[in-house]
């Protein structure tokens, strides 16, 4: 009887061990704090002249923000791809602050990152995300298709994001992004407008020139973030190793008890 009870106890503990491993693996798959989003669009039929710059810009609408706590959203691993080439777009960090009164954007060249502070009340005013000025020495034929933008989103809170990108062409542009005067949120003009270079806009990419300083918007990408930390692979390995160690000890204890009883 003692031997039977011991075996049943070991079987129950082994079952719990297996269930724990399964739970860990499932949690790692459903509580990811980041999300990759891809939007495919195209350029219009207007060719882009040699030496002109395409201003790729993006913006978002955010819901689910706290009215009392600040929330940070990070955008990383951003790329734009067309014509068989992939270009890296700077990262971005956006702080939505309940106490901020005005929106601001600047570019940190040391980290190659756009940094914006936006009042929480303006989360629906298409806050600027990130942008890339891509000068084309040889120009580009119109009608490029597809043109694909991809980005990874993460946050310290549970939020929902709707985002879009667009692109306009400029005959003159600055390689110092802080000279552009980028508009942080909608306000008479679309966020992402390089206000200090408006006079140099022309048709091409997704814009028609004139007062279309950012180009027409792409389709909308949808992202939901949990704000929960992702377990590091090393952490999962150590947890798994620890559970395996518990199982080994249980087996050793079972064998010892069986030998004693015999």
């Amino acid at each position: 009887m003692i031997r039977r009870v011991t075996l049943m106890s070991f079987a129950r503990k082994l079952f719990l061990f297996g269930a724990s491993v399964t739970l860990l693996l499932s949690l790692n798959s459903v509580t990811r704090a980041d999300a990759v989003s891809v939007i495919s669009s195209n350029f219009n039929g207007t060719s882009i002249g040699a030496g002109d710059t395409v201003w790729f810009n993006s913006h978002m609408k955010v819901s689910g923000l706290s009215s009392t706590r600040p929330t940070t959203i990070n955008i990383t691993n951003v790329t734009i791809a067309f014509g068989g080439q992939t270009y890296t777009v700077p990262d971005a960090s956006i702080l939505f602050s309940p106490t901020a009164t005005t929106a601001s954007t600047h570019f940190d060249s040391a980290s190659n990152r756009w940094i914006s502070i936006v009042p929480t009340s303006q989360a629906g005013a298409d806050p600027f995300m990130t942008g890339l000025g891509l000068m084309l020495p040889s120009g580009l034929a119109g009608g490029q298709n597809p043109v694909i933008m991809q980005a990874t989103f993460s946050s310290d809170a549970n939020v929902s994001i709707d985002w879009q990108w667009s692109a306009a062409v400029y005959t003159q542009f600055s390689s110092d992004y802080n000279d552009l005067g980028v508009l942080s949120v909608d306000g008479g003009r679309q966020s992402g407008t390089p206000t200090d270079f408006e006079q140099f806009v022309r048709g091409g990419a997704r814009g028609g020139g004139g007062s279309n300083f950012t180009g027409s918007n792409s389709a909308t990408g949808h992202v939901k973030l949990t704000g929960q930390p992702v377990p590091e692979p090393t952490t999962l390995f150590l947890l798994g190793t620890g559970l395996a160690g518990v199982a080994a000890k249980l087996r050793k204890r079972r064998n010892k008890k069986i030998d004693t009883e015999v």
Side-chain angles (χ1 to χ4, degrees):
M1 176 64 70
I2 296 176
R3 179 178 179 181
R4 183 180 177 185
V5 171
T6 302
L7 288 174
M8 289 179 65
S9 177
F10 172 78
R12 184 165 54 251
K13 291 177 180 178
L14 190 59
F15 170 79
L16 291 174
F17 162 72
S20 298
V21 172
T22 302
L23 178 60
L24 279 172
L25 294 175
S26 64
L27 284 174
N28 188 43
S29 65
V30 300
T31 63
R32 291 189 63 82
D34 58 353
V36 177
S37 185
V38 180
I39 301 177
S40 178
S41 194
N42 61 279
F43 283 174
N44 59 36
T46 303
S47 61
I48 300 172
D52 287 352
T53 295
V54 179
W55 170 234
F56 291 97
N57 56 97
S58 55
H59 57 268
M60 62 167 63
K61 285 183 172 68
V62 184
S63 58
L65 293 171
S66 170
S67 60
T68 58
R69 298 188 307 274
T71 297
T72 299
I73 294 176
N74 292 310
I75 303 99
T76 58
N77 303 317
V78 190
T79 59
I80 193 83
F82 62 92
Q85 299 291 322
T86 299
Y87 304 91
T88 300
V89 182
D91 293 341
S93 294
I94 305 172
L95 173 65
F96 290 92
S97 170
T99 59
T101 56
T102 59
S104 63
T105 295
H106 76 277
F107 185 76
D108 181 48
S109 56
S111 61
N112 194 40
R113 179 182 295 262
W114 290 94
I115 299 176
S116 299
I117 299 175
V118 178
T120 301
S121 60
Q122 293 184 291
D126 288 342
F128 172 74
M129 284 173 34
T130 182
L132 170 70
L134 181 63
M135 197 272 283
L136 300 173
S138 302
L140 188 70
Q144 296 291 314
N145 188 23
V147 183
I148 302 171
M149 191 169 189
Q150 174 174 310
T152 300
F153 296 80
S154 61
S155 178
D156 55 0
N158 298 342
V159 295
S160 295
I161 298 171
D162 292 332
W163 72 285
Q164 297 173 301
W165 67 268
S166 49
V169 175
Y170 286 79
T171 56
Q172 293 187 38
F173 215 66
S174 177
S175 58
D176 184 346
Y177 290 150
N178 286 315
D179 288 341
L180 300 178
V182 172
L183 194 62
S184 302
V185 294
D186 284 359
R189 293 172 301 234
Q190 171 69 49
S191 63
T193 296
T195 57
D196 293 336
F197 284 79
E198 292 177 355
Q199 66 270 33
F200 301 112
V201 70
R202 52 151 293 183
R206 293 187 57 79
S211 59
N212 190 348
F213 303 116
T214 60
S216 300
N217 290 330
S218 67
T220 302
H222 307 283
V223 177
K224 284 190 175 182
L225 301 176
T226 65
Q228 299 179 14
V230 182
E232 294 291 337
T234 303
T235 302
L236 289 174
F237 173 78
L238 290 174
L239 285 171
T241 302
L243 289 172
V246 171
K249 289 182 179 179
L250 287 173
R251 285 195 300 271
K252 184 176 181 181
R253 185 180 303 169
R254 181 204 64 173
N255 293 333
K256 184 176 180 180
K257 286 185 177 180
I258 292 175
D259 292 339
T260 301
E261 292 162 5
V262 173

